[in-house]
Amino acid sequence: MPSVSCEFLECLQYMKAWDSASADRSFAAADTIRILVATDSHVGYNERDPIRGDDSWKSFHEVMCLAKDRDVDMILLAGDLFHDNQPTRKSMYQVMRSLRMNCYGEKPCELEILSDSSENFPGAFSHVNYEDPDINIAIPVFSIHGNHDDPSGEGHLAALDLLQISGLVNYYGRTPESDNILLKPVLLQKGLTKLALYGMSNVRDERLFRTFRDGKVKVFQPGTQKQDWFNLMSVHQNHHAYTETGYLPENFLPEFMDLVVWGHEHECLIDPRYNPEMNFHVMQPGSSVATSLMPGEAVPKHVAILNITGREFKAEKIRLKTVRPFLMKEIVLSDQKEITRLAKKENHRTDLTRYLISVVDDLIKQANADWLEAQEESVEESDEEKPGPPLPLIRLRVEYSAPNGGSFDCENPQRFSNRFVSRVANVNDVIQFYRKKANSTVRKAGQNAADLPEESVLAQLTLDSVKVERLVREFLTAQSLTILPQNSFGDAVGQFVDKDDKHAMEMFVNESLSNQISHLLKVDQGNGGRDPEDEDLQSAMDSYKSKLEELFAKGHLNKARKARIKPKPDYWDSDLDGSWADQPGALARPDEDFADEEEDAASVLPSVPATKGKASKAVSSAAAKKTPAAPKTPGKTTARGRKKAIISDDDDNNEEDANEDIIMLSDAISDDDNDATSLFLKPDPPHPASKAPRKTTASQGSKRATPASRGAAAAAAITKSKAKQATLDFSQSQTNNGTTSTAKTTAKTKAKAKAKLEEISDDDEDDEDAFEPAVPVSTRSSRSRR
């Protein structure tokens, strides 16, 4: 017993010594984890602009260079690395270039990963990139996706998946199920400091709010020594309550967090803010490029370096130097004493414009001075190496409500902005005029104009914070939709605006109409064949629309689907015909079969080269009526004898047949026209049954003959057109002109036959003009004919 008591006492003394050592434990510099934090780089924003096109990737490159120069251990990106979820090659190239230049190196990464990499980084290479034996990563990058670069399309892949598979980025914090979210941390350690890195990629705000409210978000913690871990989380959601459920409240997040890095909001609030209710800090780095001319974007852009030691952290903010300067000012003309007197003066536009120009001039000078001041804070360079200030972004908002008895005559905003070409970067929207609306407005009875939201609502709908769904909802609140569900309508508009889905609205309208018609047909069947009253139909449509809105609000209906685009035909030339995805016939509708792709594609093709004279009508009529095959007559042997082969070969290729048949008809008519003697001989009158109609409708002319009857119909059309032309009577003057042109045409025909050219001579066109005006031929049609 005494020996047991001694061992127990020794144990207690050891535990006390360990606790005191842990409390008084001092961390060395080798225990500090240095993390560069940035978010919302939006690489690729406005990249087609000749002035601002390179701003986004230059700022991102500066951030990567800062990480290498400051010798950080890792980089943390909180979403929206790209501005588009399908970035261009230029954007992808610039990002990969910056990552490779600054993140590759021989310096070993001192971070040790303790968690299961296959759970944090699923995919073909389920491990962190700096542990890959084939590449040397000095500074690893950890990133979540935002609402701009989210996964989409087949395979549900994001642009970050391409960067991860190439070993440049560690893509974590995925949310494959938005209604059942599991947050498992990436456990890292350096020396005595342990870091639990949580990430939650962007989820639609309303749905995420509902998921948290329903308790379907599970957050995992390390199994051992929970009190020793520094818990860092990155999110990409709305930070402010723009709507009741359109944001992520801070009190939804776990209380054991130490720091939350908040992406998606572009206003730079880089200094960590303490939340006393949740007992953690929140940092909002903001964007590194201005994507809208709003007050939140005019704040100087920063990134931060976190120094985490044990459970403590310090933030070191760094101002970005390559960001284009942006100043914004708002003035109220009625508050300016020197301007108020102009309201009652006639022809005062020049004086008012001169005053506004002086305000913009002052803003340009101030923007250039601020940029130079920011450069002086960096490492000193020689005067030769210092670049000049870039063209600034200037926005002047002018409230021009005049006092009683007067008015302000303002210049056109576009014309005013163009005065500052070569002085500002945004030469089209320097100034913005607006007027405060009266709170009480009297609407006329029976007025059909759409009701706008209240002034207080419009004031909150700024460009940098507006949600499309909310804008649509506020606008449609005063309207009465009978068929289209309101919340689904807003989601479709969001797909069109945010995801650049050109067919989102078309698909939404078509599906809504189809579903409503199917529902009404079922209602009609339920009435036993009795004709329903108008009130019954209206009630059925309203109830069905309300049911769809309720299902969408509960998340039982999917968001607007990505439009399915048919494969681009081989004969489509994007340079001449435009983008295939923009064509109406390229959209694959739910009730369509891809077997009819060619016919649908033909409906959006440019107009086919039209034959001239009566022959064009004969061809369209033959194609529409699909006349039976006529017996082939031996033709003259000419240099363009491939006419026969094309007529007889009707099973070669549908697309080539369609084009070559028409070319063959033009050539055939040209050859027969070139034979001047045949033009004025009067052959036997054709059989009345084979006479081609004089007019055909547009729908008949647009139909395509089947491959089996195409050649026969074309041959019949040629025979009819020749007979039709030969029976026309001419006046004496026309006969003389025709005789004169006959000799010229005969000589040119022989020369063209030897050169094997397929063009119609000018003389032939003159002859054909005697019949009727030629059909205009587009540039694309003339190219395809040659």
Side-chain angles (χ1 to χ4, degrees), residues 32 53 64 118 126 233 262 265 291 307 325 404 468 514 531 534 560 602:
T32 301
M64 294 297 103
S118 61
S126 57
M233 185 175 187
W262 211 289
E265 300 288 352
T291 59
N307 296 281
N404 296 332
V468 177
S514 177
D531 293 338
D534 293 342

Side-chain angles (χ1 to χ4, degrees), residues 384-402:
E384 292 77 14
E385 295 179 351
K386 287 184 179 180
L391 298 180
L393 295 171
I394 303 297
R395 168 55 66 90
L396 177 63
R397 282 175 52 86
V398 180
E399 202 283 314
Y400 66 103
S401 297

Side-chain angles (χ1 to χ4, degrees), residues 748-766:
K748 291 183 178 181
T749 303
K750 294 180 180 180
K752 291 183 178 182
K754 294 180 182 180
K756 297 183 179 180
L757 297 177
E758 298 180 5
E759 299 185 27
I760 303 173
S761 64
D762 297 335
D763 295 320
D764 294 335
E765 292 179 354
D766 293 340

Side-chain angles (χ1 to χ4, degrees), residues 57-94:
W57 69 260
K58 286 183 177 179
S59 298
F60 175 76
H61 183 65
E62 181 187 3
V63 173
M64 294 297 103
C65 291
L66 283 173
K68 184 177 182 180
D69 296 339
R70 301 301 180 97
D71 192 25
V72 300
D73 294 308
M74 59 176 283
I75 300 172
L76 179 61
L77 303 178
D80 279 354
L81 172 58
F82 293 100
H83 186 69
D84 192 357
N85 60 0
Q86 295 179 349
T88 62
R89 296 178 184 176
K90 178 182 177 182
S91 299
M92 184 64 72
Y93 167 81
Q94 294 295 349

